Amino acid sequence: MNIFSSINEGLKTVHKNYQILFIHFAFLFVAFFSLFFILSIPLGVLFVIFGIDLTDILKGSFIEIIISSINLLKKFLIIAVVFLLSLVIYIIFVISLWIYIFSGTLGIVYQYLERGIIFNLKDFHHYGKKFFWKIGAYSIFSALLFFSFTFILGLISDLSSSFIELLRQYSHSVYIFFSVFFYLTILISALIAFIIWISFTLIGYYGIVAKNLTALQAIKETKKYILLNPNSLFRAFLLFVIYVLTGGFILSIGSIIAIIPTVGALLVAVYQFLTQFAHIYITMVIFTAYFAYYLQTGGDFSQEATQGSDTYQEVPLPQQVPPQESPPQESQNQKT
């Protein structure tokens, strides 16, 4: 399957299951307004108390200010604890809701690509519950992998910066050369690491849904799939480039609209609303296109290759059996 065929499959899947776009768009609003609702009350009370006591704190000597600060800490300590608990509840709520919606989206996309079944709220809820814990566990692994890549690249960047500063004391030309060299090397390494990470993450999600794997099984199967099908990394890179170019074009239109006098600010506000929906649409198309490529190249690619080699070794060659000569009929007639 070429890239245009996979994108065509992604467009067709998203158009047939357009309800997913509105669900993800609604998730953005729920995440924003829930943050406002959960955190606004403790923050409002905290700042009101802090503002009232702030005028009293600044009165008096330095020692009196310290004593007043300690008393103030005792006063709003409970509110600070409530604020932190509210923040934790919000984070857990948003992450859980995202895992549920993403699991349902994966299931809906898979059932359409495989069996042509369009969106159904009952099926969405079924897949959201079915793959919730598996997707959540694999997401934790994906986050750890991302932070590991980031830490390694950050460490290499710091070491290269120290080495370049050391060279700066001896030769300016050598300093310029190695500055550009290390910058480009780290930039290319970061891009390669990101492509590996996003491919490993998406293919693992696809394996969980397509083959009902656990998180640990998905990690192993994804590793086998990428090693046996390295073109998947190049396909992920092409789709990422298309995503960046399309998203950049949409943002550039917003900058042009802002130049319009008087009504430019209002149009930009409306355009930002439409931009969020457009980004969701592009993301879903790219995500579904890569899913279609995964299924077309063989979701059981690694297993089929392994089973094919095993069966080839186990099946013996057919043996040629010499034909048995039947007794002549004359002798049988003589006996009778």
Side-chain angles (χ1 to χ4, degrees):
M1 172 182 279
N2 56 38
I3 189 169
F4 298 105
S5 299
S6 60
I7 292 176
N8 184 40
E9 287 292 328
L11 288 171
K12 185 169 64 174
T13 303
V14 173
H15 291 166
K16 291 292 184 178
N17 303 274
Y18 63 90
Q19 296 90 341
I20 296 176
L21 299 175
F22 294 100
I23 291 176
H24 284 266
F25 192 66
F27 167 75
L28 296 179
F29 278 90
V30 171
F32 174 77
F33 285 108
S34 61
L35 175 65
F36 178 77
F37 177 76
I38 294 176
L39 301 182
S40 61
I41 298 176
L43 276 176
V45 175
L46 181 63
F47 280 110
V48 167
I49 295 178
F50 186 76
I52 294 174
D53 292 337
L54 184 60
T55 56
D56 297 332
I57 291 175
L58 298 178
K59 296 179 181 179
S61 61
F62 178 74
I63 298 177
E64 292 176 349
I65 292 176
I66 295 177
I67 296 174
S68 300
S69 300
I70 295 174
N71 293 330
L72 180 63
L73 180 62
K74 294 179 180 179
K75 288 182 180 180
F76 66 80
L77 181 60
I78 297 177
I79 299 178
V81 171
V82 172
F83 170 75
L84 293 176
L85 290 177
S86 302
L87 183 61
V88 171
I89 292 173
Y90 167 77
I91 293 173
I92 295 175
F93 168 73
V94 170
I95 292 176
S96 301
L97 183 61
W98 176 84
I99 294 173
Y100 170 77
I101 292 176
F102 188 65
S103 301
T105 302
L106 281 168
I108 293 297
V109 170
Y110 173 71
Q111 76 173 8
Y112 180 81
L113 291 174
E114 283 293 291
R115 301 186 294 272
I117 302 175
I118 61 175
F119 177 87
N120 188 310
L121 189 59
K122 183 179 180 181
D123 293 338
F124 183 87
H125 178 64
H126 169 72
Y127 289 122
K129 293 191 304 180
K130 179 179 179 181
F131 300 114
F132 180 85
W133 295 109
K134 295 180 180 180
I135 295 296
Y138 195 82
S139 298
I140 293 174
F141 166 77
S142 177
L144 293 176
L145 185 63
F146 177 80
F147 287 125
S148 299
F149 282 156
T150 304
F151 175 77
I152 293 173
L153 290 174
L155 181 61
I156 294 175
S157 178
D158 292 338
L159 293 176
S160 62
S161 299
S162 301
F163 179 71
I164 291 172
E165 290 297 328
L166 182 63
L167 293 176
R168 189 175 187 177
Q169 303 174 0
Y170 299 97
S171 176
H172 182 72
S173 59
V174 175
Y175 161 75
I176 296 298
F177 171 77
F178 277 100
S179 297
V180 176
F181 174 76
F182 280 119
Y183 175 78
L184 293 177
T185 302
I186 293 174
L187 181 63
I188 295 173
S189 300
L191 179 61
I192 294 174
F194 176 77
I195 295 300
I196 294 174
W197 172 75
I198 194 67
S199 301
F200 209 97
T201 301
L202 293 180
I203 293 173
Y205 286 144
Y206 300 154
I208 290 175
V209 176
K211 297 193 285 185
N212 198 21
L213 302 175
T214 62
L216 184 59
Q217 291 173 344
I219 295 171
K220 296 179 180 179
E221 288 295 322
T222 303
K223 180 181 177 181
K224 292 179 182 179
Y225 178 83
I226 292 177
L227 291 176
L228 294 173
N229 191 18
N231 291 331
S232 60
L233 298 177
F234 182 68
R235 178 58 60 92
F237 173 73
L238 291 178
L239 292 174
F240 175 72
V241 171
I242 294 173
Y243 173 80
V244 171
L245 293 177
T246 310
F249 175 74
I250 293 174
L251 292 177
S252 63
I253 296 176
S255 302
I256 296 173
I257 294 176
I259 302 175
I260 302 175
T262 308
V263 296
L266 179 61
L267 291 177
V268 169
V270 177
Y271 183 76
Q272 291 298 324
F273 181 83
L274 298 176
T275 300
Q276 296 298 324
F277 191 84
H279 278 291
I280 294 174
Y281 175 79
I282 297 170
T283 303
M284 288 302 305
V285 170
I286 299 299
F287 171 79
T288 308
Y290 199 47
F291 201 169
Y293 168 77
Y294 170 81
L295 294 176
Q296 286 293 329
T297 53
D300 300 327
F301 184 84
S302 58
Q303 290 183 352
E304 290 177 358
T306 305
Q307 292 175 358
S309 60
D310 293 341
T311 53
Y312 177 79
Q313 294 176 359
E314 291 177 358
V315 175
L317 294 174
Q319 297 180 358
Q320 295 182 356
V321 180
Q324 298 179 358
E325 297 181 356
S326 58
Q329 295 180 356
E330 296 180 356
S331 59
Q332 292 179 356
N333 293 331
Q334 291 177 0
K335 292 180 180 179
T336 56

